[in-house]
């Protein structure tokens, strides 16, 4: 398997925050989340997995998509409108700078409990009922609550119980078990190198090996014969690989 520098900037684990922007050349394959919400789109796999979670807990119509993929122009407009309506302090807490928003990846979705009026910036998504059922089940599918309470100093964003990010499985489960925000997980994985000790994760009698590899120009890896694996860049300096044993 060959990894090139471009591979750093694509995949479900790319870190997008105030320090690491979305690459201008990043263009996800987008699909409509639901037929009733034509303007809300997500990256193709992310949308399919999201619908899988909603169907599994019978939440369609009870949990609504509020905001998915945004273009740079849309993020600029949302940021400017929030500054005017809510002020600088509120906006810096809840709205990412244009170019630095996870919504520009197509991997993030804001969800809201079905109500007559839904707040676009801060939709209601409580820690009970169908919303909590989604939150618990989503981890098994590859989603994490991205901006958890207590992680504000790490993420740079206020607690957002409505904002979910697709990172893929088993990363979502490991992040939950280790209580790691995505920023922390990217750093945590660097101790598991390709030619060193790998992180092992087991579920349903199936074992997975995970490791990180830095990518400067081009890297060639000799993978096990018939190996099933997935690769994601971290949008920082390398890639994280999962081998399904």
């Amino acid at each position: 398997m060959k990894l090139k520098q471009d591979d750093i900037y694509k995949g479900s684990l790319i870190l997008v925050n105030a320090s690491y922007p979305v690459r201008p050349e990043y263009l996800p394959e987008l699909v409509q989340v639901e037929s009733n919400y034509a303007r809300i789109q997500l990256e193709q796999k992310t949308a399919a997995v999201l619908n899988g979670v909603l169907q599994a807990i019978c939440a369609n119509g009870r949990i609504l998509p509020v905001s998915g993929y945004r273009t740079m122009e849309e993020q600029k407009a949302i940021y400017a409108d929030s500054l005017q309506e809510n002020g600088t302090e509120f906006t810096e807490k809840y709205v990412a700078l244009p170019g630095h928003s996870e919504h520009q990846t197509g991997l993030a979705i804001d969800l809201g409990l079905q109500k007559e009026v839904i707040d676009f910036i801060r939709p209601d998504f409580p820690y009970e009922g169908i919303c909590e059922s989604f939150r618990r089940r989503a981890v098994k599918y590859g989603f994490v609550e991205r901006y958890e309470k207590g992680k504000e100093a790490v993420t740079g964003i206020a607690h957002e119980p409505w904002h979910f990010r697709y990172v893929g499985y088993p990363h979502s489960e490991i992040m939950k078990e280790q209580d790691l925000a995505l920023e922390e997980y990217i750093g945590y994985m660097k101790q598991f190198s390709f030619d060193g000790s790998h992180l092992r994760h087991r579920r349903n009698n199936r074992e997975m090996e995970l490791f990180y590899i830095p990518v400067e120009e081009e890297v060639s890896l000799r993978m096990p014969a018939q190996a099933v694996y997935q690769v994601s860049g971290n949008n920082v300096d390398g890639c994280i690989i999962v081998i399904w044993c």
Side-chain angles (χ1 to χ4, degrees), residues 33-184:
V33 175
E34 288 187 28
S35 58
N36 295 331
Y37 300 90
R39 296 184 62 186
I40 300 180
Q41 297 179 309
L42 286 175
E43 182 272 331
Q44 191 172 23
K45 184 176 181 180
T46 306
V49 176
L50 173 65
N51 282 315
V53 182
L54 293 173
Q55 290 170 15
I57 62 172
C58 301
N60 295 93
R62 302 167 67 190
I63 292 176
L64 304 181
V66 177
S67 183
Y69 174 75
R70 300 172 187 167
T71 64
M72 176 68 86
E73 291 69 28
E74 288 171 329
Q75 188 65 24
K76 285 179 178 178
I78 291 168
Y79 194 86
D81 289 347
S82 182
L83 281 175
Q84 186 174 9
E85 295 174 11
N86 306 307
T88 301
E89 183 178 355
F90 176 96
T91 301
E92 289 180 348
K93 283 183 178 181
Y94 293 106
V95 184
L97 286 166
H100 296 261
S101 171
E102 286 199 327
H103 285 285
Q104 293 176 245
T105 67
L107 299 168
I109 183 76
D110 289 348
L111 299 172
L113 185 64
Q114 199 283 329
K115 285 186 170 184
E116 187 174 339
V117 177
I118 297 177
D119 187 329
F120 179 78
I121 299 295
R122 296 192 299 173
D124 187 25
F125 205 82
Y127 289 91
E128 61 183 11
I130 194 67
C131 295
E132 184 63 8
S133 295
F134 174 89
R135 191 175 277 109
R136 292 181 179 179
R137 182 66 69 90
V139 172
K140 303 295 183 183
Y141 284 70
F143 279 94
V144 294
E145 184 181 320
R146 178 67 173 96
Y147 304 117
E148 292 187 301
K149 188 174 183 180
K151 296 292 185 180
E152 295 88 346
V154 175
T155 65
I157 298 290
H159 176 215
E160 294 191 356
W162 55 84
H163 181 106
F164 293 87
R165 163 66 191 269
Y166 182 71
V167 294
Y169 187 88
H171 309 294
S172 54
E173 194 165 70
I174 297 169
M175 290 170 66
K176 183 65 176 177
E177 289 174 354
Q178 300 289 336
D179 188 27
L180 300 173
L182 183 55
E183 287 83 356
E184 296 169 316

Side-chain angles (χ1 to χ4, degrees), residues 212-230:
Y212 157 82
I213 186 161
V215 181
E216 293 183 2
E217 293 183 356
E218 182 174 294
V219 178
S220 295
L221 302 178
R222 187 179 296 276
M223 302 296 285
Q226 308 300 318
V228 177
Y229 57 88
Q230 58 191 38

Side-chain angles (χ1 to χ4, degrees), residues 1 3 12-13 167-172 174 185 189 192 194 198-202 206-213 221 223-224 226-233 239-245:
M1 179 177 65
L3 297 174
S12 62
L13 282 172
V167 294
Y169 187 88
H171 309 294
S172 54
I174 297 169
Y185 185 66
M189 284 304 303
F192 304 104
F194 171 65
H198 293 183
L199 174 62
R200 297 181 181 274
H201 186 76
R202 177 177 289 274
R206 187 79 183 270
E207 188 170 81
M208 292 147 268
E209 292 185 21
L210 297 85
F211 62 89
Y212 157 82
I213 186 161
L221 302 178
M223 302 296 285
Q226 308 300 318
V228 177
Y229 57 88
Q230 58 191 38
V231 181
S232 176
C239 294
I240 295 172
I241 298 171
V242 182
I243 302 176
W244 298 75
C245 304

